[in-house]
Amino acid sequence: MKYSYLGKSGLKVSQLCLGTMNFGPETEEKEAFRIMDAALDAGINFFDTANVYGGQDRRGWTEEIIGRWFQQGGGRREKVVLATKVYNDMFDEQDGPNSGSGLSAYKIRRHFEGSLRRLQTDHIELYQMHHIDRNVSWDELWGAFELLVSQGKADYIGSSNFAGWHIAAAQAKAKERHFLGLVSEQHLYNLLERTPELEVLPASQELGLGVIPWSPLAGGLLGRNALAKTGVRSARSAKLEQHRSQLEQFSALCKELGEHEDQVALAWVLANPAVTAPIIGPRTIQQFEDSLRVTEITLDEATLKKLDEIFPGPGKPAPEAYAW
């Protein structure tokens, strides 16, 4: 496994990040334990979760599974760079009128402590804002996060689903306060969704954030055998039909390369210099093992050019992409 610094921090993380969103609803606990053990054996030290993972009726379930895995010992907790998130409603009656989504200092304090209990740990390496909260000032946000860092409960702060200007505003206010600020941005990015190349990726590179792409396989559309799947019509099947021509060309290119579609799609994301580690979200141990080859794949310039032709991006960052 290869490792990279997370943004401007001195923290080294594996170039693949283990996403745990399926643990509980899609992956039973025993299999989740096997996947996490296999991740450590493969050198993956970067695990991502969120307080709401577990399903609409069991928010927090995924963190609980990870907590029970940590309690098996064997250095499991010590070997993991743990990332979790805050923003969404946890349906906690004790929150009263402060329930719902948001990032008040009140919510950050309460939900952070809730994550610690479920994860059965006393600290979190990377605490991430799951979304932007436009009702909260950066003075309030940085005040709350600075306290967690000064108390030794969180090492670093990250964002997720932020616009480029949100990142710029956050870093400017952090600099005023002599605080490190954001070290990462977790963002939707894949061959079918290249909008982040306009603003988010350039802003992250300029301001010292490592980008952690989520859904690098576009919800499975860029996975192996995606074109062969049939069944009840759904939003996913509609997207498949919308992009069928591109996906057929992509599949043909992957066959020429002798690689599976999911591995090429992940390798393409990882080849971007703004990217620290794409998130893989395996439901089974087999899916996890299939992902490991990604760090061994190097896409040459000719292949990257073909991928640009199949999946055109903006071409340049803003404003050059549309103003010249």
Side-chain angles (χ1 to χ4, degrees), residues 102-105 108 132-142:
L103 290 172
S104 66
I108 290 169
I132 190 72
D133 185 346
R134 294 179 175 84
N135 296 313
V136 179
S137 71
W138 278 107
D139 282 320
E140 180 176 356
L141 285 167
W142 283 138

Side-chain angles (χ1 to χ4, degrees), residues 24-224:
E26 301 288 337
T27 304
E28 64 175 15
E29 187 164 311
K30 185 177 180 180
E31 184 76 350
F33 281 16
R34 289 181 64 205
I35 291 171
M36 289 187 281
D37 282 335
L40 287 187
D41 289 343
I44 294 177
N45 72 335
F46 195 15
F47 289 19
D48 177 75
T49 191
N51 58 357
V52 293
Y53 291 171
Q56 191 73 4
D57 299 324
R58 287 199 63 178
R59 297 192 167 192
W61 188 10
T62 302
E63 286 188 332
E64 291 170 359
I65 290 172
I66 296 170
R68 287 190 286 271
W69 179 73
F70 283 150
Q71 287 307 300
Q72 292 184 104
R76 286 175 171 83
R77 177 65 188 98
E78 292 77 10
K79 294 174 183 176
V80 170
V81 173
L82 178 63
T84 192
K85 309 182 196 75
V86 60
Y87 174 84
N88 290 297
D89 192 350
M90 291 297 289
F91 302 131
D92 186 342
E93 293 181 358
Q94 295 182 35
D95 282 338
N98 285 293
S99 62
S101 300
L103 290 172
S104 66
Y106 168 91
K107 168 162 280 190
I108 290 169
R109 174 182 60 81
R110 285 179 55 80
H111 288 205
F112 185 87
E113 294 297 335
S115 286
L116 291 184
R117 287 193 297 272
R118 288 186 293 273
L119 291 162
Q120 300 191 54
T121 188
D122 61 358
H123 69 285
I124 291 168
E125 280 78 15
L126 178 63
Y127 200 45
Q128 303 163 107
M129 291 169 275
H130 212 153
H131 299 280
I132 190 72
D133 185 346
R134 294 179 175 84
N135 296 313
V136 179
S137 71
W138 278 107
D139 282 320
E140 180 176 356
L141 285 167
W142 283 138
F145 289 127
E146 286 168 14
L147 181 60
L148 293 178
V149 172
S150 67
Q151 291 174 337
K153 293 181 177 180
D155 293 333
Y156 302 98
I157 306 302
S159 58
S160 181
N161 304 307
F162 274 31
W165 75 270
H166 295 142
I167 293 170
Q171 298 303 73
K173 181 56 69 172
K175 187 174 182 179
E176 281 183 20
R177 299 174 67 97
H178 305 288
F179 186 62
L180 181 63
L182 300 170
V183 299
S184 63
E185 161 62 16
Q186 190 173 139
H187 211 85
L188 174 64
Y189 184 52
N190 55 57
L191 280 165
L192 286 169
E193 182 48 79
R194 298 183 60 173
T195 309
E197 294 172 10
L198 286 170
E199 301 270 5
V200 173
L201 268 60
S204 296
Q205 279 188 290
E206 178 68 22
L207 297 171
L209 283 69
V211 176
I212 308 167
W214 61 266
S215 197
L217 300 184
L221 290 178
L222 296 167
R224 63 187 71 184

Side-chain angles (χ1 to χ4, degrees), residues 284-298:
T284 66
I285 191 71
Q286 185 61 55
Q287 287 181 349
F288 169 76
E289 291 173 350
D290 288 341
S291 299
L292 293 179
R293 172 157 168 68
V294 172
T295 57
E296 301 172 9
I297 299 174
T298 300

